[in-house]
């Protein structure tokens, strides 16, 4: 059933630009009130689902910390971290998502840098540039993860931390129509999953829409084992239910890891 997608990154760039136009949940910038509270030290950010990340996973004081928000455009996490005192760079595949961060920065007088690119290639940054990489649920939009983890390791300083959120691959076991329309969990797919290998282009267009982002269900070996293979030491793990489908009653939909680059 597999068909060829010449450039998944280009396809997903266009898809996310369109999601911004449509006002998708993950493209809506935070309010000026949220930024004002962050400047006063009252803030939280989301790594998986809708739950704030454990603050113990983040530096107690962000002032002067160099932070890379990786595949994290949308005007949500990065502006909050900048308001809390960090020197923030947002790296994302969607120009329109990066525009949302610039919108908040201009509106609220924040300094942050935006860089366009594929999360698998961070050549825009020198080795050992950042103290923290914040990588919310987004690597389901690339077909291979090893470059993501090796690049995160490279751009972090010794002792730096990676916070990564990702989808439980079991979420891709189920028929999406049955899940969305009837809250039924009907197993139809083998893992690992890919929109490209499990559906033809015509089937994808019918099921998800021709312009929908391509998704890839990576194994835990690729997610967690990949971080270990890149050289990271895992020091934290968390999980959360999926926020929008029936699987939440039965299993965790999201996982998160805290990893350290040895000093």
């Amino acid at each position: 059933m597999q068909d060829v997608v010449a450039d998944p990154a280009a396809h997903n760039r266009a898809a996310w630009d369109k999601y911004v136009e449509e006002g998708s949940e993950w493209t809506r910038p935070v309010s000026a009130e949220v930024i004002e509270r962050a400047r006063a030290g009252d803030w939280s950010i989301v790594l998986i689902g809708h739950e704030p990340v454990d603050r113990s996973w983040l530096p107690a004081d962000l002032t002067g910390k160099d932070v890379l928000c990786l595949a994290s455009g949308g005007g949500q996490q990065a502006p909050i971290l900048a308001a809390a005192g960090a020197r923030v760079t947002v790296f994302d595949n969607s120009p329109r998502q990066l525009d949302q961060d610039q919108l908040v920065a201009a509106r609220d007088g924040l300094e942050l840098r935006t860089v366009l690119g594929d999360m698998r290639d961070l050549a825009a940054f020198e080795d050992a540039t950042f103290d923290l990489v914040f990588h919310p649920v987004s690597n389901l939009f690339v077909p291979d993860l090893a470059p993501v983890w090796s690049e995160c390791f490279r751009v972090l300083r010794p002792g730096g931390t990676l916070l990564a959120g990702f989808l439980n691959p079991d979420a891709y076991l189920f028929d999406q129509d049955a899940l969305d329309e009837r809250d039924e969990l009907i197993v139809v797919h083998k893992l690992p999953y890919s929109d490209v290998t499990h559906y033809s282009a015509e089937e994808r267009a019918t099921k998800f829409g021709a312009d929908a982002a391509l998704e890839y269900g990576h194994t835990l070996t690729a997610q967690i084992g990949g971080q270990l293979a890149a050289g990271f030491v895992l020091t934290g793990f968390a999980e959360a239910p999926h926020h929008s489908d029936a699987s939440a009653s039965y299993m965790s939909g999201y996982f998160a890891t805290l990893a350290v680059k040895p000093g």
Side-chain angles (χ1 to χ4, degrees):
M1 187 178 294
Q2 182 171 5
D3 67 282
V4 176
V5 177
D7 189 343
H11 178 97
N12 283 351
R13 176 175 296 175
W16 274 95
D17 282 352
K18 185 174 181 181
Y19 293 159
V20 174
E21 295 174 7
E22 296 170 346
S24 166
E25 173 183 9
W26 305 113
T27 72
R28 301 172 196 158
V30 296
S31 68
E33 290 74 21
V34 167
I35 297 301
E36 184 178 358
R37 290 198 302 270
R39 282 191 165 114
D42 176 17
W43 60 271
S44 65
I45 52 175
V46 170
L47 182 62
I48 53 175
H50 287 163
E51 298 182 8
V53 67
D54 187 336
R55 283 289 292 270
S56 70
W57 283 23
L58 294 154
D61 185 3
L62 283 170
T63 304
K65 297 292 185 183
D66 291 305
V67 176
L68 174 63
C69 288
L70 179 61
S72 180
Q76 298 181 356
Q77 297 100 350
I80 291 174
L81 293 170
R87 292 191 293 259
V88 179
T89 299
V90 194
F91 188 91
D92 200 274
N93 187 41
S94 162
R96 295 295 304 275
Q97 279 285 75
L98 292 176
D99 287 345
Q100 303 298 73
D101 291 282
Q102 291 288 4
L103 181 154
V104 179
R107 184 192 68 197
D108 299 325
L110 298 171
E111 291 188 13
L112 57 80
R113 177 189 180 196
T114 58
V115 180
L116 179 69
D118 185 327
M119 70 182 83
R120 296 169 295 177
D121 181 4
L122 303 183
F125 310 118
E126 300 290 336
D127 295 356
T129 297
F130 299 102
D131 301 298
L132 169 69
V133 174
F134 187 84
H135 181 45
V137 179
S138 55
N139 66 31
L140 69 158
F141 299 113
V142 292
D144 49 332
L145 295 187
V148 177
W149 304 134
S150 61
E151 283 288 81
C152 286
F153 191 86
R154 181 184 66 79
V155 302
L156 275 170
R157 295 176 178 131
T161 54
L162 164 67
L163 279 68
F166 47 92
L167 196 65
N168 181 349
D170 288 355
Y172 289 105
L173 287 169
F174 308 111
D175 179 81
Q176 198 63 45
D177 289 339
L179 200 62
D180 291 342
E181 296 170 10
R182 302 187 300 278
D183 286 345
E184 294 178 1
L185 277 67
I186 300 176
V187 175
V188 294
H189 298 305
K190 292 182 178 180
L191 301 177
Y193 170 88
S194 162
D195 281 347
V196 176
T197 59
H198 285 59
Y199 296 108
S200 68
E202 293 76 15
E203 288 170 330
R204 290 198 305 272
T206 299
K207 204 168 189 68
F208 309 119
D211 299 325
L214 297 171
E215 296 189 13
Y216 303 85
H218 302 293
T219 65
L220 294 182
T221 298
Q223 295 282 13
I224 297 175
Q227 293 182 50
L228 296 172
F232 284 106
V233 175
L234 267 64
T235 60
F237 183 84
E239 51 192 306
H242 198 286
H243 60 283
S244 63
D245 68 45
S247 67
S249 300
Y250 301 93
M251 67 181 190
S252 296
Y254 299 107
F255 299 135
T257 53
L258 173 63
V260 177
K261 179 176 180 175

